[in-house]
Amino acid sequence: MSGALDIFRSLGDPTRLRIVHLLRAMELAVGEVAQVVDQSQPRVSRHIRILVESGLVERRKEGNWVFLRLGQKASVQPFITLFDRLQPSAAEAAWQSADLARLAAVRAERARAAEAYFAEHAEEWDAIRSLHVAEADVEAAMRTMLDGQAIGHLLDIGTGTGRMIELFGPAADQVTALDRSPDMLRLARAKLPEDAGDKYALLLGDFAALPIDPASVDTVLLHQVLHYAQAPEQVIAQAAQVLRPGGRVLIVDFAAHEREELRTRDQHARLGFSDMQIEGWFAQAGLELERVDMLPGQELTVQLWLGRQRGADILPIEERISA
């Protein structure tokens, strides 16, 4: 009973209840929690320590930031589920609503900073990417990953300057390219073939709320995009929802690293990802991790993860890691 007692005791404080409710909305950094609840970071850190010790919250260090999420152990899941079943009082509903409104403001500021960066660097974007690892090598690895099955309807999330349109568009039956930056879409539009017709659709939208019909896409690409996501698991879940049966998601991004300047200078929300993180998020979204490839660079390593809807034919386990 000591585990249950620890959990109930950890919830016996209004601020800690607020923190748990915020983390039900999304994974947050400690500083962001402090900003939303309007308390000093040392004070918030003490509350977080109690929640972590009880198992209700888990911490993950990433560079100079510490991210928080709800506990994933089976022993704490019934307590997390309890929050979905409790009917809040009028006072509780009021502070929950106020906290979520402040959280929306925090997220909006993140998005504003990222969009300002995108607008400033739109024409340099391809060159910035090439600093990390030879783009030709990445593109060759992507072709290899997707070889053996028709591209079908391609969804390029975060199309940027439209390089993926150039690379995979000719082999696709239909292409939908999505970006939240009008400047990026303007550049991508310039790369469409003259005979594009109605094969290509360029949409202004966000990867956290895809304006795409469910079960309408065969291949989803997330090329150097996921590290900008505040909630990567939600982006992957969105991608999985638009897939047709047997559809695939290919993520190309950085392996986990400690280059803090990419967060402060280039607005990266995440400093890369581990195989375990991606596989876990794939599993939550109903996807099977089919294959992984790794391209070490001088400064950063580029990783490729190919996922497919669970239950589809996948490679034997010994062939899943190609690096």
Side-chain angles (χ1 to χ4, degrees):
M1 289 296 293
S2 59
L5 285 173
D6 289 340
I7 290 174
F8 281 119
R9 285 171 179 153
S10 72
L11 292 172
D13 180 274
T15 298
R16 293 197 284 274
L17 277 175
R18 293 171 69 188
I19 292 172
V20 171
H21 275 284
L22 287 170
L23 295 180
R24 292 173 69 221
M26 64 180 293
E27 185 177 283
L28 291 167
V30 173
E32 292 169 332
V33 173
Q35 185 177 348
V36 172
V37 301
D38 194 25
Q39 295 183 20
S40 69
Q41 190 157 324
R43 184 175 181 182
V44 166
S45 294
R46 288 194 293 272
H47 287 301
I48 289 169
R49 176 179 55 79
I50 294 171
L51 290 169
V52 169
E53 289 174 350
S54 73
L56 269 177
V57 169
E58 295 178 358
R59 296 163 51 101
R60 179 177 61 80
K61 194 173 188 304
E62 188 180 278
N64 295 334
W65 285 31
V66 175
F67 283 90
L68 308 169
R69 68 172 183 174
L70 293 178
Q72 303 296 301
K73 293 182 179 179
S75 58
V76 305
Q77 287 306 305
F79 298 92
I80 303 300
T81 303
L82 180 63
F83 283 92
D84 296 323
R85 298 182 179 180
L86 291 175
Q87 185 68 30
S89 66
E92 289 172 336
W95 62 251
Q96 289 175 19
S97 178
D99 279 352
L100 290 176
R102 283 188 289 269
L103 176 59
V106 169
R107 298 178 70 175
E109 174 56 27
R110 283 190 192 175
R112 186 208 61 76
E115 287 171 7
Y117 172 80
F118 291 152
E120 181 181 354
H121 295 279
E123 294 185 0
E124 308 167 23
W125 194 241
D126 284 333
I128 292 173
R129 281 178 172 167
S130 69
L131 294 176
H132 306 296
V133 68
E135 202 67 19
D137 293 340
V138 176
E139 293 174 359
M142 294 177 70
R143 285 194 182 99
T144 299
M145 279 279 196
L146 295 176
D147 190 30
Q149 181 176 327
I151 298 293
H153 181 184
L154 172 67
L155 172 61
D156 182 23
I157 298 176
T159 193
T161 59
R163 176 55 184 159
M164 296 299 102
I165 294 176
E166 288 185 302
L167 193 63
F168 294 105
D173 298 327
Q174 182 181 354
V175 177
T176 301
L178 180 81
D179 207 288
R180 66 183 180 185
S181 167
D183 292 320
M184 288 294 190
L185 289 179
R186 174 178 55 82
L187 292 173
R189 207 168 269 115
K191 293 186 177 180
L192 294 180
E194 293 183 3
D195 59 348
D198 60 358
K199 175 178 175 178
Y200 295 83
L202 274 64
L203 303 180
L204 185 66
D206 193 271
F207 51 24
L210 296 178
I212 309 293
D213 291 335
S216 63
V217 173
D218 300 293
T219 306
V220 175
L221 295 181
L222 286 154
H223 177 234
Q224 293 292 12
V225 170
L226 199 61
H227 57 248
Y228 291 108
Q230 300 167 24
E233 68 280 9
Q234 295 179 15
V235 176
I236 291 173
Q238 286 272 315
Q241 288 176 8
V242 303
L243 284 179
R244 292 186 177 121
R248 300 173 293 171
V249 175
L250 176 58
I251 296 174
V252 182
D253 217 298
F254 299 125
H257 61 88
E258 297 293 330
R259 300 300 296 267
E260 187 68 31
E261 74 275 10
L262 292 181
R263 194 199 317 273
T264 56
R265 185 193 67 199
D266 296 335
Q267 302 300 322
H268 289 202
R270 300 302 180 96
L271 300 184
F273 306 96
S274 67
D275 292 344
M276 184 176 298
Q277 281 179 306
I278 297 296
E279 185 163 21
W281 291 331
F282 273 178
Q284 292 173 16
L287 301 172
E288 199 81 55
L289 180 62
E290 180 174 301
R291 194 170 178 183
V292 179
D293 198 0
M294 180 176 65
L295 300 174
Q298 292 184 352
E299 299 182 17
L300 297 170
T301 294
V302 172
Q303 203 91 351
L304 294 86
W305 298 274
L306 182 65
R308 190 188 299 270
Q309 284 185 329
R310 187 177 294 137
D313 293 333
I314 63 170
L315 294 174
I317 186 68
E318 63 271 12
E319 296 181 27
R320 285 172 57 189
I321 309 298
S322 60

